[in-house]
Amino acid sequence: MSVIKFEVQKEVFERTKERLHSILPVDKLRRKKNRKNFLCITGSIERPIRFSIYHVKKTEKGFKRKEEWGLSALKAANYKDKESVEFELELDKLYQWEASSLEEKDVFFSILFQISARLHRPPKFLRYEGLAEEGGDEMVAKEEVAEEEEEEFGLTEREEADLEKVLARVENAVHNCEAYMDTLARELSILDGENIQSIMESEGQVACLMESLDQSIGGLGEVETELTSYEETVGQVRRSLEKIEAESLELGVASRNNVLLREELSGLVQALQFPDAPLLLSLDLRTVDGRVKATIAAHQLQLALNVEDRIHPALLRLKGVVEQKKSLERISRKFAYSLADTFRAVCGETWPKGISVQNLHLPSLSVTHAALRPYAELSAWLKGAHPEVFSRVLEAYSEGTQKIYAEAIKELFKEAARKISSVSASSKSSGSTTDLQLRGRFFGKTRSLANKDFDTESQGSGEGSIDSSEREHYYDVLEEVLEGLSLPVNGEEAFLKEFFHLEAGTTPSSGTSPVKGHQANELRKFMVSLFASVEAELGNFLSSYEKLEPSFCMGGMVKLGEQALRPENSASFISVVFGTLLVQEKRSFDRLMNSYVDAIADTRLSRKQKPEILPFVAEFEDFAVMAENIFEGSARRSELEKWYVKMLGGIFEGILRHAADGGKIPGEVLKMENFHRLHAILCKLKVGALESQRKEAKAKYNEALNAYVTKYLGRPLVKLNEFFDGVQGKVSQGVKESEVGYQMSFSRAELKRVIREYPAKEVKRGLDSLYKKLEKHLSEEENLLQVVWRAMQEEFIVQYKSLESLIGRCYPGAKISLEFTIEDILLFFSEIAQSH
């Protein structure tokens, strides 16, 4: 500890000219014990001496002061228990510490107690019984404190100067102390006598002073009595003022209550007054002026009836208020019945007497709407004031318009059917083999997909096919029907919002209020009641023609999708109807496409004849051209492209399956011609989503072409190729290429003998035979004969060059070569192609 004390004195307190009296290693209570914190008691070296307490912490760079307090800031020191190292110091706040040992804690408290005892206001020491037995360190500390006390309480400079003056008056005072002391004693006795004499002379003055004090005490008593009297008077005045103030407050409250009551009654009378009652019931609602006045009066009447929002609830129980409200309600009810009768009369006068459908458009009730629109504000008043009367008006309007629209919708679809049939009849009279109602199941040539045995004799005759003009006419009529439905239905829906103030919305979610959900659905329910037959009639119309021609569902899906996405149909009733039927058409489209894919998978080739191009490959082009015309620019195009991919997958599998089944022609030819046709179809379509299928068709075509050339061209110079196979075998066994000619079986003479077996005429005869075989295998429809012949020419030339290269490497300098050249080969291939 002495070493630490020395280091702390030197590093921390030497530069501040302070002396370290005690140091105690401590830690904060219930913290990790690291013994790097110290409490120090110091005193300044210079006078006056000032004692301080420091918190010093040991760091990697040395000791550092963290906190400082003057000793006068110490309020209390709690020693706590003799057996515990814990203690508390109350400085600017309460600090709790743990000493490193009991002995060091005792020494620290002993020094702190001794130094604090000299202060003017020493701190409190709790649970500390005073000085204990002091060890070596404690004795050293006490000696240091004693030295400091001597320094602190010795003579000052002035006192030393006065003492020197006194000693200087007597000569030899230092050497003759007894004589000097006698002299000082005599002077002191003289001074005491003079002091006593002075006290005796001032006795009279003291008596006068005491008498003056007694008089002052008496005067103070009188003043106190008067103050008490004044205090009682002031209390009485205060009580009187408080009573007056309370009475004034009560009068003010009563006055304010009277004013508020008068205002409340005045407002009540004004709120319940309705002087226009006779006028409201006598107005002519058919005139503009009458409707304007009726609207203003009706709103004033409703304002008077809704008085609950403007008066205190207790006033509603007054007899006069109850009677006035009943009177106003009778007036309101009479006017509501009169208004409802007016609405029904206007509807009856303006509803069309006969139903006629022109240009496939539903008849519009615009005349009725125009006659009712001026009553829109009165309709809103009726809905809010008398919902039951409003419901009856709404029901009457629904019954009348529902009959009109139901009859008109039936007539609309009858007219559409007649228009389609008229074109079908004209097509029949112009030479068509059958009527639309007798058409086959599939469109165009693709109807033959249903003929799984592919009897080609029944294909291509046009029997049961639908020409493009009939298809386009059907789609045109369908589009006219959809437009003829959407415009009147949207107009009726807009009128219901404007006049009857029905709110549009969808079915409320689980978190929506039931009342709010009912209001949001009222327009939807009313539109369903008016146009209940639209969805059924349109669905039957589509289904009836799709039974005759299933491919019509494609155009129906496109047309419905376009109508549903139009801005004017957005979030309308008709868009919901179109959306529902669009789902139905989408399902029909999926069923149709599934039937095509299944038909491709179930096809069987007839072994009686040469299949050439598979029918489903050729008919895919007809289908794709028709589908592209229908779906061009449509938002539903993605649906078609998905089925393109599935159909092409089935076509790829079908081609490979039929090629593997075998038949009159090689499988390579079947794959080559069909993949060539399929690649040409995809290139013509230019559909971005089918780019990978186009590349795959091209790759399979090239693969089939190479396989066919390799199989049927083979190695036309058989013996020569076998000879050089043996040569290459020797080379692989380690014989050098230049030494192969020395082998008996592969000598130069043997090579010449083999070469003589393949003169130019023999080679040309073999190629001519090969060309005839190609003519039997390949169809004229795809015109691939010259393409395959050119590929065989290139392969033959490659083999020729390979043989020439082997001859040059294995028989160098022998001047041996084949009996025909590359020019001869080119000439042979050209002459054979021209001769056929």
Side-chain angles (χ1 to χ4, degrees), residues 624-810:
V625 170
M626 181 203 67
E628 288 297 312
N629 290 333
I630 294 173
F631 284 88
E632 184 179 5
S634 172
R636 313 297 302 184
R637 180 175 179 80
S638 59
E639 304 289 343
L640 175 64
E641 292 177 350
K642 291 178 183 177
W643 280 108
Y644 271 157
V645 175
K646 292 183 180 180
M647 289 183 71
L648 287 171
I651 291 173
F652 276 98
E653 292 178 2
I655 294 173
L656 297 176
R657 184 176 67 253
H658 294 310
D661 288 345
K664 291 187 175 182
I665 63 172
E668 291 81 3
V669 173
L670 186 67
K671 289 190 289 184
M672 179 173 58
E673 291 187 334
N674 282 277
F675 282 121
H676 180 267
R677 171 67 66 87
L678 192 60
H679 176 261
I681 293 171
L682 295 178
C683 290
K684 182 179 178 181
L685 290 177
K686 297 180 180 180
V687 178
L690 302 180
E691 183 64 22
S692 61
Q693 284 76 12
R694 185 189 65 79
K695 293 180 179 178
E696 184 179 359
K698 179 67 174 177
K700 290 187 178 298
Y701 159 70
N702 290 328
E703 181 183 345
L705 174 62
N706 294 331
Y708 181 76
V709 169
T710 302
K711 181 177 179 180
Y712 286 94
L713 175 64
R715 302 167 76 183
L717 308 177
V718 178
K719 293 182 179 180
L720 192 60
N721 284 315
E722 290 177 352
F723 179 85
F724 278 102
D725 286 345
V727 170
Q728 290 180 342
K730 290 294 183 179
V731 171
S732 63
Q733 292 174 3
V735 179
K736 293 182 179 180
E737 290 183 344
S738 58
E739 297 177 358
V740 172
Y742 298 106
Q743 300 288 328
M744 182 65 66
S745 301
F746 305 105
S747 63
R748 298 181 180 182
E750 185 66 20
L751 174 61
K752 291 179 180 179
R753 183 187 67 78
V754 175
I755 289 175
R756 283 195 296 270
E757 294 184 11
Y758 294 100
K761 291 182 179 180
E762 185 66 25
V763 172
K764 184 177 181 181
R765 187 182 305 111
L767 292 176
D768 187 68
S769 176
L770 178 62
Y771 190 86
K772 293 177 181 178
K773 186 182 294 185
L774 292 182
E775 287 182 321
K776 292 180 180 180
H777 288 170
L778 300 176
S779 65
E780 297 180 1
E781 185 178 0
E782 280 303 292
N783 195 24
L784 289 178
L785 179 60
Q786 296 303 321
V787 176
V788 176
W789 188 242
R790 175 62 63 87
M792 287 188 171
Q793 173 184 295
E794 292 174 356
E795 177 64 22
F796 193 90
I797 292 174
V798 169
Q799 293 184 17
Y800 177 88
K801 291 181 178 179
S802 176
L803 293 174
E804 286 287 337
S805 175
L806 286 172
I807 292 172
R809 295 199 308 271
C810 298

Side-chain angles (χ1 to χ4, degrees), residues 196-243:
I196 293 171
Q197 184 67 30
S198 175
I199 291 171
M200 292 176 66
E201 289 177 354
S202 62
E203 184 176 358
Q205 296 177 356
V206 172
C208 291
L209 179 60
M210 294 300 294
E211 183 178 358
S212 298
L213 290 174
D214 292 338
Q215 291 176 358
S216 299
I217 292 172
L220 288 174
E222 294 177 359
V223 171
E224 185 176 358
T225 303
E226 291 181 1
L227 290 176
T228 303
S229 175
Y230 292 155
E231 186 177 358
E232 292 177 357
T233 303
V234 170
Q236 293 176 359
V237 172
R238 184 175 64 253
R239 286 191 292 272
S240 299
L241 290 175
E242 290 175 353
K243 185 177 180 180

